[in-house]
DNA sequence: ACCTGAACACCGTTCAAGT
DNA sequence: ACCTGAACACCGTTCAAGT
């Protein structure tokens, strides 16, 4: 029962769904989206690759479960603000920061439509929108707009860090490279993109995200 | 140039980047996101798998190029409406319909941050926002909000059709199943989600999408 | 230059066999 | 019941060898 150092990792506990998910999150955080494989996971858990399938249906199930674990923690940690509007902004920022810390969540969330992690987010956003006075008939369309915006940002951020990692840079370096390529575009066909390239270079992801939330909050019927 | 690309296994044309991209789109449309492999593509083009690498850098390059081809056609086809607002709505709907017809574009777009297909969309949206009177300092944040919303919807729709296909249903059947599972959730923890499950069941993706666009347009500073 | 196709280094998933 | 690990059916990508 005591720790033997074979393979570098302990195996005092028995294999459970929770332990598998926990190890998956560690792997995803440290090695990125591509870092989660059944072989790497099995090695880390000091078991065989097939053993995982006793507790997990398939890779998508694993990814969704890991995603849900992060989302659940995030939803619990998000406090209520001084006003409804503030609460939604705090909630949105909490989600943004969590996805910033775990970029793989953005892409995992895309593969889990209608599943538990999405449900958690919809519930929290929706309750606030309802309290804000959004008419019953508009509730779904409104929460859907907010959700899709958040998912879009999350997905782009995940893609940014992924592509950045592949080129050996961090996300802000990558965005700088994008700004450079945009400012060198043909001015005849892409006048607007050239123009905003400068704003892209000095922008702050978090500030822009919040600006989008504010646009939506302002446009909401109530 | 006349082009009879339909029907034949054997090809008298030489291999070009354009022909590879065209075949990729056909494959993606008919077999879905997972249908595009270098082996399947090579067979369709009556060539070896390695030959493709002479014209294409890697799979991501291929996907982005296929994506760009669809986006470019969509942007060209989109007419200007009677008003600026209308033009943006028409544009957004054009994008929605194109992504509805080619669901794989939604996920491909996620993997191509800052690349040409995104640039095309930003350019068209941005020009209209500028004409609408959005202040220069807000242009990037505004176009970014609109873009991220559109990408979020595109990504979710792609995921919906993908998951639906895996379970052997179409997208509306899948959404119906989601609505069912939502209405059976624990009412104590998920009162809001239970409440909107009904709206989800009778909703229209396209109408909801447009409602989101309208919320953003209404919230925009000008 | 362009193309061939076998080979390489992976992957998710399965399953007979063990405890 | 739970776990093992070899085996299977794939991938994307490379590269010596051909034309």
């Amino acid at each position: 029962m005591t720790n033997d150092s074979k393979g570098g990792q302990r195996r005092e506990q028995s294999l459970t769904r929770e332990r598998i998910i926990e190890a998956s999150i560690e792997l995803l955080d440290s090695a990125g989206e591509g870092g989660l494989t059944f072989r790497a996971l099995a090695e880390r858990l000091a078991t065989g690759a097939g053993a995982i399938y006793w507790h997990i249906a398939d890779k998508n199930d694993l990814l969704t479960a890991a995603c849900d674990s992060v989302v659940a923690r995030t939803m619990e940690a998000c406090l209520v603000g001084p006003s409804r509007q503030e609460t939604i902004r705090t909630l949105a920022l909490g989600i943004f920061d969590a996805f910033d810390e775990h970029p793989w969540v953005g892409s995992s969330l895309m593969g889990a439509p209608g599943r538990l992690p999405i449900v958690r987010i919809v519930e929290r956003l929706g309750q606030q929108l309802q309290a804000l006075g959004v008419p019953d008939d508009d509730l779904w369309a409104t929460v859907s707009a907010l959700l899709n915006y958040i998912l879009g940002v999350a997905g782009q951020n995940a893609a940014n860090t992924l592509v950045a990692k592949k080129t050996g840079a961090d996300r802000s370096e990558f965005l700088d490279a994008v700004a450079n390529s945009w400012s060198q575009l043909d001015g005849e066909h892409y006048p607007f993109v050239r123009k905003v390239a400068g704003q892209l270079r000095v922008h702050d992801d978090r500030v822009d995200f919040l600006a989008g939330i504010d646009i939506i909050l302002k446009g909401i019927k109530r």
Side-chain angles (χ1 to χ4, degrees), chain A:
Chain A
M1 293 306 178
T2 43
N3 197 351
D4 80 302
S5 52
K6 183 150 184 263
Q9 283 294 352
R10 62 195 190 313
R11 179 63 188 282
E12 59 218 18
Q13 292 168 284
S14 70
L15 206 55
T16 64
R17 190 169 217 269
E18 285 65 38
R19 248 165 61 71
I20 293 172
I21 292 165
E22 184 192 338
S24 300
I25 293 175
E26 287 168 20
L27 218 40
L28 286 162
D29 281 343
S30 61
E33 293 180 45
L36 180 64
T37 68
F38 280 85
R39 282 171 238 275
L41 194 54
E43 194 189 4
R44 185 177 265 256
L45 291 165
T47 183
I52 295 163
Y53 281 90
W54 191 263
H55 306 271
I56 299 286
D58 54 23
K59 187 159 188 186
N60 197 51
D61 180 31
L62 182 57
L63 234 19
T64 303
C67 193
D68 191 53
S69 174
V70 172
V71 170
R73 276 202 296 271
T74 307
M75 294 296 104
E76 279 165 25
C78 274
L79 314 165
V80 278
S83 71
R84 309 286 187 201
Q85 293 250 16
E86 258 333 296
T87 303
I88 293 186
R89 296 173 101 241
T90 317
L91 200 54
L93 273 186
I95 297 173
F96 181 90
D97 290 338
F99 292 8
D100 199 50
E101 202 178 342
H102 313 279
W104 51 271
V105 174
S107 13
S108 298
L109 222 39
M110 285 289 170
R115 301 284 304 277
L116 199 46
I118 298 277
V119 165
R120 290 187 204 273
I121 298 174
V122 168
E123 181 66 32
R124 286 296 295 265
L125 290 175
Q127 285 184 8
Q128 295 305 317
L129 289 174
Q130 202 171 359
L132 211 58
V134 173
D136 273 19
D137 284 352
D138 294 331
L139 276 176
W140 169 248
T142 306
V143 76
S144 178
L146 212 43
L147 174 72
N148 280 314
Y149 170 68
I150 291 170
L151 291 180
V153 174
Q156 284 302 102
N157 281 355
N160 284 339
T161 61
L162 189 70
V163 176
K165 212 191 80 170
K166 220 177 287 181
T167 63
D170 66 9
R171 201 172 79 198
S172 74
E173 285 171 335
F174 169 70
L175 286 175
D176 211 62
V178 169
N180 277 334
S181 79
W182 282 17
S183 64
Q184 277 157 21
L185 281 170
D186 166 24
E188 176 126 14
H189 292 103
Y190 304 104
F192 178 82
V193 173
R194 276 183 61 130
K195 190 185 171 109
V196 290
Q199 289 182 43
L200 174 59
R201 192 179 281 104
V202 299
H203 87 145
D204 177 326
D205 278 343
R206 208 165 178 271
V207 170
D208 285 350
F209 170 72
L210 204 54
I213 293 289
D214 285 338
I215 287 174
I216 294 174
L217 285 177
K218 197 174 156 204
I220 279 174
K221 205 189 295 178
R222 38 217 260 227

